[in-house]
Amino acid sequence: MQNIIGAMTALITPFKNGKVDTAKYEELIRRQIAQGIDVVVPVGTTGESATLSHDEHRECIEIAVATCKDTDVKVIAGAGSNATHEAIGIAQHAQKVGADGLLSVAPYYNKPSQEGLYQHYKAIASSVEIPFMIYNVPGRTGVDIEADTAIRLFDDVSNIYAIKEATGSLERAIELSSKRPDFCVVSGEDSIDYAMLANGGKGIISVTANLLPNYKSKLVHSVFNKDFDTAKKINDDLYAINKALFVESNPIPIKAAMYLAGLIDTLEYRLPLTPPSRETMSKLEDVLKGYEVIK
């Protein structure tokens, strides 16, 4: 099994008249490919997966796979749910249609125990054969996948190879890497990508990369080439936009920034998400002046 690492983008899902804008979705993925991203991640948190129908979720995965076919770019499909059987169904469909790997967020709302988390992930990952990444984002799910639980899963389930750590804790990332050097830790917090990578992280799954994939791919590849000065400068240069993109709940600001930059034609969300405030739009307009967004 080949580990899937590098510069990865947590794709937004564009809507038009209330439906997924499939033509724009394909166009956005092609832009990611052209600007050096290694992996696209459809229908994660940033892709508003919680408000997509199952049919829409599967369609987004299929579009990503088809668009990346015959390129070097991999697809890690979002396959998360707070119902284990639903996550299994999504995971098996993603494998069937050709996804290279899977990303599964911790089950939200029901707040399982650590044993519940272990059994949840073991069941999903064991239902497929492709590489599997755990996704820990307690600020959104209400539950933390503790280091010992993640390590137990890595030890016990052969295709679990990585964890997307979005706790914002460098200590957690270092704990995982120090205990299991072969366990791929992936940054899920744009602002600390460089710090995570410099401490042994094997990649990033970035929100900001929807807007600036060329910056994010260069950051990661610079670290991999041991050009730490270049990588740190890019991370520092991105601080303002990284901060601005999280002034409201993700993906509200990133979609607004992409709309302002002319990357998407309509600014639509699914309720309960709503458009950003005027203050946020103004802030994004100001911050965007500091970056060159290549279409």
Side-chain angles (χ1 to χ4, degrees):
M1 184 183 72
Q2 181 184 3
N3 289 343
I4 304 169
I5 61 174
M8 311 182 228
T9 303
L11 296 170
I12 67 150
T13 302
F15 298 123
K16 191 171 186 177
N17 299 322
K19 298 180 179 180
V20 176
D21 187 344
T22 55
K24 177 59 68 173
Y25 196 54
E26 179 179 338
E27 180 185 316
L28 292 174
I29 295 170
R30 292 197 182 284
R31 177 174 175 267
Q32 294 289 319
I33 295 168
Q35 295 194 31
I37 286 294
D38 301 306
V39 182
V40 293
V41 184
V43 284
T45 306
T46 307
E48 296 177 75
S49 56
T51 56
L52 296 180
S53 71
H54 288 181
D55 285 344
E56 288 172 329
H57 194 123
R58 289 190 287 265
E59 183 179 31
C60 286
I61 294 171
E62 292 165 9
I63 291 169
V65 170
T67 306
C68 293
K69 188 177 180 181
D70 299 324
T71 76
D72 293 329
V73 175
K74 305 293 187 186
V75 177
I76 294 183
S81 174
N82 57 352
T84 306
H85 68 92
E86 287 186 357
I88 288 172
I90 296 168
Q92 290 178 336
H93 178 79
Q95 175 175 273
K96 180 181 178 181
V97 301
D100 300 288
L102 298 165
L103 173 72
S104 190
V105 70
Y108 39 88
Y109 183 73
N110 34 22
K111 297 185 77 172
S113 65
Q114 293 302 304
E115 180 63 24
L117 288 168
Y118 173 83
Q119 296 295 343
H120 172 80
Y121 278 118
K122 183 178 181 181
I124 306 167
S126 297
S127 76
V128 293
E129 298 173 353
I130 56 179
F132 191 96
M133 186 185 301
I134 302 164
Y135 178 14
N136 190 30
V137 57
R140 295 194 73 124
T141 63
V143 64
D144 181 17
I145 306 168
E146 295 175 1
D148 287 345
T149 302
I151 288 168
R152 184 181 171 203
L153 284 162
F154 175 71
D155 288 345
D156 292 355
V157 187
S158 61
N159 60 329
I160 292 180
Y161 80 102
I163 182 167
K164 177 185 175 183
E165 261 298 327
T167 56
S169 171
L170 282 175
E171 181 182 357
R172 175 67 63 83
I174 292 168
E175 179 182 5
L176 290 164
S177 296
S178 68
K179 290 181 176 178
R180 293 294 185 276
D182 293 333
F183 195 10
C184 295
V185 178
V186 173
S187 173
E189 289 280 348
D190 275 286
S191 61
I192 59 170
D193 281 347
Y194 171 74
M196 292 277 279
L197 292 165
N199 278 284
K202 296 297 189 291
I204 66 172
I205 296 182
S206 169
V207 173
T208 305
N210 281 284
L211 185 70
L212 299 167
N214 51 329
Y215 284 73
K216 285 292 188 174
S217 57
K218 187 174 181 181
L219 190 163
V220 175
H221 299 155
S222 294
V223 172
F224 286 178
N225 291 325
K226 302 193 183 308
D227 184 358
F228 295 103
D229 290 343
T230 295
K232 184 178 185 303
K233 185 179 186 307
I234 294 170
N235 200 83
D236 289 347
D237 289 345
L238 290 174
Y239 177 78
I241 189 69
N242 288 337
K243 187 173 177 63
L245 290 178
F246 291 92
V247 294
E248 294 189 35
S249 293
N250 179 48
I252 293 172
I254 182 60
K255 291 186 90 170
M258 293 175 75
Y259 176 74
L260 290 169
L263 295 174
I264 55 177
D265 305 321
T266 57
L267 186 54
E268 292 187 30
Y269 306 86
R270 287 266 172 91
L271 285 170
L273 294 186
T274 55
S277 67
R278 289 182 180 178
E279 181 184 3
T280 294
M281 288 296 278
S282 178
K283 184 176 294 185
L284 289 169
E285 287 175 346
D286 287 343
V287 170
L288 282 169
K289 294 173 184 176
Y291 302 92
E292 181 184 4
V293 178
I294 299 172
K295 296 181 181 181

